[in-house]
């Protein structure tokens, strides 16, 4: 049976003694009711995982000592997701599944048809909430990695991304299947641009093509934005990993 998992960011990792604080400490001590002597698993979201024994529990902290520590190498192909910012519930579902499917990073994009607009304070709150949501997803599916979540950027800025391959699911007639678009040899990085509700405008699509994004089809059906993102991640994971 797997051990209860808790997240500790890499910056706070100090082998062989680890200290959980804030939400993770409360989850461990109050929700899971763990006590000194119990064994737990702690991961940093960057591939490091440790089996630990709890040594001390207080109201605000849980201290543990590492018994075994391992490092998992990242995937050879990093998949960077650039999804248009969509409504809250489907976007959080997208983030959850992107963690499970091994996205390397996620950067929301503000497009012409984006209906969600956040000021600076709202953005910081949303990013904090989304990161917690992603950590919970990583804990549940037992991945050692949490994708890097970046602040939303304008559509024009997203076109400047540097990657070995750049893809955009599109309804254009000039698309090819994802398998047809993939190179014969392994690629180190792939950027995927996903449209919002209502898809990209014709002008945005043309700009993406000019910036080197290859249009691909995900089939004959019109998929929701979050479904297109997850379908692309799943197919890329199968073909490239």
């Amino acid at each position: 049976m797997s051990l209860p998992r808790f997240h500790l960011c890499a910056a706070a990792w100090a082998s062989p003694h680890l200290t959980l604080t804030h939400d993770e400490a409360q989850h461990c001590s109050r929700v899971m009711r763990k006590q000194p002597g119990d064994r737990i698993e702690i991961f940093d979201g960057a591939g490091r995982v440790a089996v630990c024994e709890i040594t001390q529990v207080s109201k605000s902290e849980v201290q543990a000592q590492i018994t075994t520590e391992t490092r998992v190498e990242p995937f050879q192909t990093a998949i960077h997701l650039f999804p248009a910012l969509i409504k809250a519930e489907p976007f959080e579902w997208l983030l959850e599944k992107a963690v499970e499917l091994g996205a390397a990073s996620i950067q929301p994009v503000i497009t012409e048809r984006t209906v969600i607009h956040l000021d600076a304070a709202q953005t910081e709150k949303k990013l904090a909430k989304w990161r917690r949501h992603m950590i919970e997803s990583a804990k549940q599916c037992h991945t050692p990695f949490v994708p890097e979540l970046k602040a939303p950027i304008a559509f024009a800025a997203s076109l400047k991304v540097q990657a070995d391959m750049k893809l955009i699911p599109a309804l254009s007639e000039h698309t090819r299947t994802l398998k047809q678009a993939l190179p014969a040899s392994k690629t180190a990085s792939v950027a995927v641009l996903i449209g919002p509700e209502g898809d990209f405008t014709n002008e945005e699509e043309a700009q993406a093509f000019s910036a080197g994004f290859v249009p691909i089809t995900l089939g004959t059906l019109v998929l929701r934005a979050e479904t297109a993102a997850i379908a692309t991640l799943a197919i890329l994971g199968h073909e490239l990993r």
Side-chain angles (χ1 to χ4, degrees), residues 122-227:
Q122 290 172 326
T123 297
E124 286 304 312
K125 289 181 180 179
K126 282 290 186 181
L127 286 171
K129 179 183 178 181
W130 291 339
R131 289 189 179 107
R132 288 196 301 271
H133 189 70
M134 292 166 65
I135 288 170
E136 289 305 312
S137 178
K139 289 162 67 173
Q140 184 174 22
C141 74
H142 280 253
T143 175
F145 300 104
V146 178
E148 180 184 5
L149 178 63
K150 302 178 182 181
I153 57 174
F155 175 76
S158 72
L159 300 182
K160 299 176 182 179
V161 60
Q162 299 296 314
D164 294 334
M165 169 167 272
K166 299 191 287 187
L167 303 172
I168 175 172
L171 300 175
S172 167
E173 295 179 0
H174 305 292
T175 59
R176 65 192 79 175
T177 66
L178 186 47
K179 193 163 187 175
Q180 290 171 337
L182 292 177
S185 57
K186 290 289 185 181
T187 185
S189 61
V190 179
V192 182
L193 188 59
I194 302 292
E197 294 102 338
D199 208 358
F200 295 113
T201 64
N202 291 337
E203 182 180 355
E204 287 172 331
E205 207 171 65
Q207 290 173 355
F209 298 163
S210 296
F213 280 86
V214 177
I216 58 169
T217 177
L218 297 174
T220 58
L221 301 179
V222 178
L223 303 181
R224 294 172 65 95
E226 64 273 24
T227 308

Side-chain angles (χ1 to χ4, degrees), residues 45-68:
R48 184 163 44 182
V49 182
V51 174
C52 306
E53 181 177 318
I54 295 176
T55 56
Q56 187 174 338
V57 176
S58 68
K59 291 183 179 180
S60 58
E61 293 184 348
V62 173
Q63 298 180 20
Q65 183 167 342
I66 295 174
T67 55
T68 60

